[in-house]
Amino acid sequence: MPRQTGRQWDVVVAGGGHAGIEAALAAAKMGARTLLVTLDPEAIGRMSCNPAIGGLAKGHLVREIDALGGEMGLAADRNGIQFKTLNTRKGRAVWSPRAQIDKRTYAADVSAVVRHQQNLTIDTGEVTGLRTDGGAVTGVTLKSGAVIPCRTAILTCGTFVNGLIHIGNKQFKAGRLGERRSEGITESLRALGLRAGRLKTGTPPRLHRDSIDWSQTALALGDEQPVPFSFRTPLPFEPANEPCHLTYTSAAGHEIIAENLHLSPMYTGVIEGVGPRYCPSIEDKVVRFADRDRHQLFLEPEWHDAHQIYVNGFSTSLPEEVQLAALRESSGLAEVRFIRPGYAIEYDYFLPNQLQATLESKDIAGLFLAGQMNGTSGYEEAAAQGLMAGINAGAAVNGMQPLVLGRDEAYIGVMIDDLITKSTLEPYRMFTSRAEYRLLLRPDNADLRLSQKGIDYGLLGSGDLERLERRRGEIGHIKATVQQLRVSLPDSGDERIPAAQLLKRPEILLADLLPEAGESGAVYAAANLFTAETDMKYAGYIERQTRQAEALKRLESTAIDPGFDVSTVTAMRPEAREKIAAIRPETLGQASRISGVNPPDIALLSIHLQRWYVSRETFS
């Protein structure tokens, strides 16, 4: 008979990775009595794969996590060793911050934050199942047999759920190399009716720094004027700028890989799970891009002055000797030695269309899932989901309204909406192209969009509110100054042109115009100048996207009651009825984004739904 332990917790979080950290901190900050259960407390915050945070679209997520009061951005700023803004040759909506991170200090830093958080307790253990009563969570079961009573549970077990590592024809059970996997969760959730699948991901080899001929590689430094992730990081921001290096695979290396594809588990059918399309293994690259004779590789230090180098771009499950032979055909790597080889890991996940927009199960009240358990890849996607699950679990126990972010409010909203309305049959990765309202969702304005929500839910404090109000005020002042300003150009005679009109020209910056108003840009915060300038340069496009977002809010605000039977809409195409019945969208907006559901289907659904609501009111 399982042993019941102690008091009832408000929130139990299973897993101490990036999702679990944000979930536990958010719930605890909201006053919920929170327990974080982890296989190894020493592994809290560990960066199991690449030594970086942010990147294309991922940097947007980190900024939004920070704007809501999450920890990832602050920790990245404290432990970054190189900062860079990517995509600056394109429009400002898709500029994305990225940082190389000292993996050792990052994990220690985040672990300390967790340990010192009020209302948050850490326990060593393995959550293997749930206890429920009447379709609601009442507790979690540990491998030891103990039952921990709780009102809500957040599962963030990542790749540890039935994890299986592959290196060539060698297989072994693990959550990541050197750490045991978690077992029992899948079986427990399946018994409660949840549907599970299998995915895979990979990691590249780690190289001895002293075995690399750095003279044959290209230097890759960060920005000279780096920008922090967090709106709360003190200025001036002067982090380290440690170098990465660039090299390439070769045709000879590709030939070695091609000759040994039969030894790669993903090509022999040994691995059941589906891999990430947008972060392919080197085997995938050689096969899918057979016309290319080289692929870019970044050699990245894993911590300050690291002897261990991460080979970004060479994820693989090939045998160790094949990995080594192929890499030695790359410039600078002729005598390279491994600290550890690359490997693939497959693991269980749960189809996220079984979740509400709050990340709570549609069938089991109080059960939240976040991170790679929902089919995503990446630290940033996991942390964003963990934060939202933690906020909504905290809201549930505090009797507050849940927090759901729309597609026009945040990349986080785009990601969660994609997960719950679309079939996730491969690891989901965030991209700027997934967001319809990119100009509204820039990294520079994340706090203006979201920080008030972080304040409302108790994740940010009075100091953050003051900072936000000062920033709004200064941006407003800059815009008002420019709107009133008229400027004469050298070739325009006596004609004076509105400064706001001139600012729409790509080559004109606020720094060029403010002196005409007797002001210097130097008196304003650089971040405020940038946001004001961007808002004004893209004003017409921003206004258009705002109108489009407003037009769609009617669909988003029309709820689909769980009691409504879509099979009664007989005029709707069978495919649309089946998909809506399977996914059970919460609003017409969600239904409209289900693959295979078309506008005429939504029109029919809307009419029948309105009639159904009227009939309920008539007979109530």
Side-chain angles (χ1 to χ4, degrees), residues 264-297:
S264 170
M266 69 184 75
Y267 283 93
T268 58
V270 172
I271 296 182
E272 300 172 7
V274 180
R277 178 194 306 256
Y278 302 105
C279 187
S281 67
I282 191 64
E283 297 98 298
D284 278 324
K285 291 178 184 177
V286 167
V287 172
R288 287 166 53 188
F289 307 106
D291 57 321
R292 296 182 59 177
D293 59 7
R294 69 176 194 169
H295 293 286
Q296 192 174 70
L297 302 177

Side-chain angles (χ1 to χ4, degrees), residues 105-231:
T105 62
Y106 182 91
D109 184 322
V110 171
S111 179
V113 172
V114 171
R115 293 174 194 278
H116 289 95
Q117 176 60 50
Q118 189 177 3
N119 300 320
L120 178 54
T121 301
I122 301 170
D123 191 18
T124 303
E126 180 179 349
V127 174
T128 57
L130 286 183
R131 303 302 289 273
T132 63
D133 183 22
V137 168
T138 60
V140 299
T141 305
L142 302 186
K143 187 176 183 179
S144 65
V147 175
I148 300 176
C150 60
R151 299 171 63 185
T152 63
I154 306 175
L155 304 183
T156 69
C157 306
T159 61
F160 282 70
V161 183
N162 288 335
L164 186 65
I165 282 179
H166 298 262
I167 304 175
N169 59 8
K170 294 186 290 188
Q171 304 174 17
F172 46 94
K173 298 175 180 180
R176 55 185 166 223
L177 201 63
E179 298 180 47
R180 64 188 178 92
R181 72 181 188 175
S182 175
E183 299 176 345
I185 286 286
T186 299
E187 294 72 22
S188 175
L189 296 187
R190 275 181 168 153
L192 292 169
L194 271 69
R195 291 169 287 124
R198 198 85 169 141
L199 293 176
K200 70 167 182 257
T201 189
T203 191
R206 271 56 162 188
L207 312 180
H208 279 279
R209 179 182 64 188
D210 295 342
S211 68
I212 299 170
D213 183 352
W214 297 103
S215 67
Q216 295 187 43
T217 65
L219 191 65
L221 284 168
D223 293 339
E224 292 184 6
Q225 296 180 312
V227 177
F229 278 111
S230 178
F231 297 96

Side-chain angles (χ1 to χ4, degrees), residues 13-21 36-40 43-46 156 176:
V13 178
H18 303 285
I21 288 165
L36 173 62
V37 181
T38 175
L39 287 166
D40 180 7
I44 290 174
R46 188 170 288 169
T156 69
R176 55 185 166 223

